[in-house]
Amino acid sequence: MTSEPQTPTGTPDTAPGPPPGCPVHGTGPGGLHRLYGPDALDLDDLYERLREKHGPVAPVLLHDDVPIWVVLGHAENLHMVRSPSQYTRDSRGWTPLLQGMVKPDHPLMPHIARQPICAHAEGDEHQRLRAAVTAAMDTIDHRGLRRSINSSTQELVNRFCGRGRADLVSQFAEHLPMAVMCEILGMPEEFDDRMVQAARDALKGTDTAIQSHAYVMEALSGLTTRRRARPEDDVTSHLITHQAGLSDDEVREHLRLLLFAAYETTANLLANALRMVLTEPGFRARLNGGQMTVPEAIEQSLWDEPPFSTVLGYYAKQDTELGGQRIRRGDGLLFAPGPGNVDPRVRPDPTAHMKGNRSHLAFGGGPHECPGQDIGRAVADIGVEALLTRLPDIRLACAEEDLRWRSSIASRHLVSLPVLFEPKPKQDVNRAPSMSSLHPHRAEAPVPPPRAWLEEKAEEDKVAQRAERAERAERAEPVPPAGPAESWPASAKSAPPSRWQRMWRWLLGE
């Protein structure tokens, strides 16, 4: 797998640097490593080198060589997010910002600048805003949510199921979360390709990101105005009518937070989970063999490839100590689920299966823990299961090493996930997904099973073929020619299924 060089906002950084092999290659002032530019293409590797050199908390540089700490340890990340008396999300006390080192046009300013949202507030103000968000999210009907996810999945799969090929990133993972979030917020009519592209563009930080962001905010402003005049049973209306008395600006900003955070997180989670299913034989074998459920597979993905590898940022409210480092008042810190999840102190073997363990850092923790994590999990759980039910023979259409990633400080985003499958007919979007084929008389290829089962099947088939040939020889009946099953006579295709075939159909629920 290869990565596309990207800055934290997604735009290429072409700034010249020292040649490879130079002693200062990849470092800036004070010999600190940069988390941006051509010298930070493999951040996972850089984080491990920083861990080896500095321990669980390491000094690094952001764009414009702004100093910050990156928290690499699992325990240290949890301590930081759970200690509001020591660390805040309010950037107004960040020393580099106060000293003018962070310019207004800094690439990360949209993530740094304080906004009227609960994620940047603390104390009574945080409790007021967070209470409104939590109460609004609690009104979501989870049965209705499941129906919405299933119907949206059906609709998306219907768009490409007859072609026998698709890109599961651009045609599925980037669309399903937006469809669900538009429904939850109360603007299902806004869900279309333009809204999806605008959200992706705004999050990438391209030349048109400002216009794309304005398009999304215009839709959210219109929704706020409509619901202020006439509330309905949706998250937006419950935000507006909550006793916390949110202003229109506060409502819009929280809608933007919910939409963008849930969208980006869940789109990455879907893409990562599907990639694991398609590329890792052991992972898929456990899933197909009943040793792992889809929700457990999603949790494994959250450990191995969290949707956000780092989050900016936390700021020290006082002089303190973290991970053996002296943190001064006004210092900034990066919350880092990516390297934190592979901290060797809690995960000595990074390839080990984490079945049943939800102590990963993917959704943060403490007062600012993600309030929509259950929605993200539901979209991923139901969406992946529904897709695999509709397309059980799905397989990767390229070599795994040809997959490409768009990398940034914040996350790794899979560029595309091309797949092939036998063409399928469309299904009613209001019904549960089911397996079907455009060729009803053709045996539908199952998802590749574990190797041991393949060997057992091959041996059973050999025995069955020898027995069938012997029986036909006794009756002097012609033997079907070798070749694809669809070229055989109907009588040859109606043979009873083998024991392995019966077992496989039972596992698939047929």
Side-chain angles (χ1 to χ4, degrees):
M1 286 179 271
T2 58
S3 298
E4 293 185 339
Q6 298 280 324
T7 69
T9 53
T11 54
D13 189 318
T14 57
C22 175
V24 297
H25 184 68
T27 62
L32 300 183
H33 283 273
R34 295 184 173 102
L35 298 186
Y36 68 95
D39 301 318
L41 295 181
D42 190 346
L43 285 174
D44 289 342
D45 177 69
L46 176 57
Y47 290 144
E48 291 311 306
R49 287 189 281 124
L50 289 171
R51 194 197 308 272
E52 183 177 349
K53 181 179 180 179
H54 299 284
V57 179
V60 292
L61 298 171
L62 297 178
H63 267 67
D64 298 339
D65 288 340
V66 175
I68 199 167
W69 299 94
V70 59
V71 185
L72 306 170
H74 187 277
E76 288 73 18
N77 271 292
L78 284 179
H79 174 77
M80 180 177 65
V81 300
R82 292 174 176 175
S83 303
S85 63
Q86 294 178 307
Y87 304 96
T88 177
R89 293 294 311 277
D90 188 342
S91 64
R92 290 177 295 182
W94 187 25
T95 299
L97 189 65
L98 296 175
Q99 293 177 346
M101 296 180 64
V102 184
K103 306 300 182 184
D105 60 348
H106 192 281
L108 295 176
M109 185 55 76
H111 305 279
I112 297 169
R114 186 182 186 279
Q115 301 160 25
I117 54 177
C118 59
H120 289 175
E122 60 179 323
D124 293 342
E125 182 67 0
H126 173 263
Q127 291 181 12
R128 181 180 75 89
L129 297 174
R130 178 79 180 206
V133 172
T134 302
M137 302 287 280
D138 286 345
T139 64
I140 296 173
D141 175 13
H142 287 276
R143 288 187 178 181
L145 176 63
R146 174 176 288 273
R147 289 193 297 270
S148 176
I149 298 170
N150 264 320
S151 62
S152 295
T153 299
Q154 290 279 58
E155 183 176 346
L156 290 173
V157 175
N158 281 347
R159 296 182 184 182
F160 55 75
C161 63
R163 302 173 188 170
R165 65 183 185 280
D167 173 16
L168 294 185
V169 172
S170 64
Q171 294 179 273
F172 185 73
E174 291 185 348
H175 284 257
L176 181 58
M178 183 59 73
V180 175
M181 288 308 299
C182 284
E183 180 76 26
I184 288 175
L185 297 184
M187 54 178 193
E189 69 282 355
E190 296 287 352
F191 170 65
D192 55 21
D193 291 344
R194 186 180 180 188
M195 178 61 77
V196 170
Q197 295 308 318
R200 292 295 314 137
D201 191 47
L203 290 166
K204 288 178 184 177
T206 63
D207 292 340
T208 57
I210 294 178
Q211 294 91 323
S212 296
H213 184 270
Y215 174 79
V216 176
M217 290 306 295
E218 182 180 357
L220 296 177
S221 295
L223 174 64
T224 302
T225 300
R226 294 194 302 273
R227 291 298 185 267
R228 179 74 73 180
R230 185 177 180 181
E232 296 186 12
D233 187 14
D234 51 45
V235 166
T236 301
S237 299
H238 291 292
L239 267 179
I240 291 172
T241 58
H242 190 268
Q243 62 183 9
L246 272 62
S247 67
D248 282 359
D249 283 344
E250 289 174 331
V251 170
R252 281 192 297 267
E253 288 301 320
H254 281 91
L255 291 178
R256 181 181 66 86
L257 174 66
L258 291 172
L259 185 66
F260 280 134
Y263 172 67
E264 177 71 3
T265 301
T266 311
N268 280 351
L269 177 57
L270 275 169
N272 292 336
L274 289 168
R275 177 193 61 81
M276 293 177 70
V277 169
L278 292 169
T279 62
E280 299 184 19
F283 190 94
R284 194 167 189 176
R286 290 193 298 271
L287 188 62
N288 294 332
Q291 300 166 345
M292 178 188 292
T293 64
V294 170
E296 289 170 344
I298 298 302
E299 294 302 320
Q300 183 69 30
S301 177
L302 289 168
W303 273 103
D304 296 340
E305 194 75 54
F308 286 109
S309 52
T310 63
V311 176
L312 183 70
Y314 281 78
Y315 310 93
K317 300 168 69 174
Q318 61 190 38
D319 290 352
T320 185
E321 183 273 339
L322 185 65
Q325 299 285 5
R326 184 180 180 184
I327 309 298
R328 295 184 179 275
R329 178 181 178 181
D331 281 0
L333 304 97
L334 286 172
F335 171 61
N341 277 355
V342 291
D343 184 343
R345 295 174 299 174
V346 298
R347 201 175 175 191
D349 180 5
T351 65
H353 175 46
M354 304 299 287
K355 185 175 181 179
N357 190 332
R358 280 193 170 191
S359 61
H360 54 73
L361 304 169
F363 295 115
H368 297 289
E369 185 174 10
C370 175
Q373 56 185 280
D374 289 340
I375 295 176
R377 283 189 172 100
V379 173
D381 293 347
I382 300 168
V384 169
E385 188 164 10
L387 176 72
L388 296 180
T389 299
R390 285 287 303 273
L391 309 174
D393 58 335
I394 197 169
R395 61 194 183 278
L396 197 63
C398 68
E400 183 180 354
E401 54 268 24
D402 292 335
L403 294 176
R404 294 181 298 117
W405 302 81
R406 183 178 298 111
S407 300
S408 71
I409 290 178
S411 66
R412 287 205 319 158
H413 187 81
L414 193 61
V415 175
S416 64
L417 189 62
V419 294
L420 297 172
F421 49 88
E422 182 184 349
K424 306 291 191 300
K426 295 182 179 181
Q427 293 187 8
D428 184 348
V429 299
N430 295 316
R431 301 187 64 181
S434 61
M435 289 178 287
S436 59
S437 171
L438 284 177
H439 309 283
H441 300 295
R442 181 183 300 176
E444 191 169 18
V447 177
R451 177 175 295 180
W453 288 10
L454 285 173
E455 293 174 351
E456 180 184 351
K457 175 184 182 299
E459 185 62 31
E460 283 190 359
D461 287 348
K462 289 180 182 179
V463 173
Q465 289 172 5
R466 287 197 296 268
E468 183 180 357
R469 290 180 183 277
E471 183 179 352
R472 288 182 179 277
E474 292 179 2
R475 299 199 305 262
E477 292 184 7
V479 178
E486 49 265 48
S487 66
W488 293 3
S491 60
K493 290 187 287 184
S494 60
S498 67
R499 178 169 63 87
W500 181 90
Q501 290 171 323
R502 292 195 300 272
M503 180 189 301
W504 185 248
R505 291 179 181 176
W506 177 79
L507 288 170
L508 291 176
E510 296 182 5

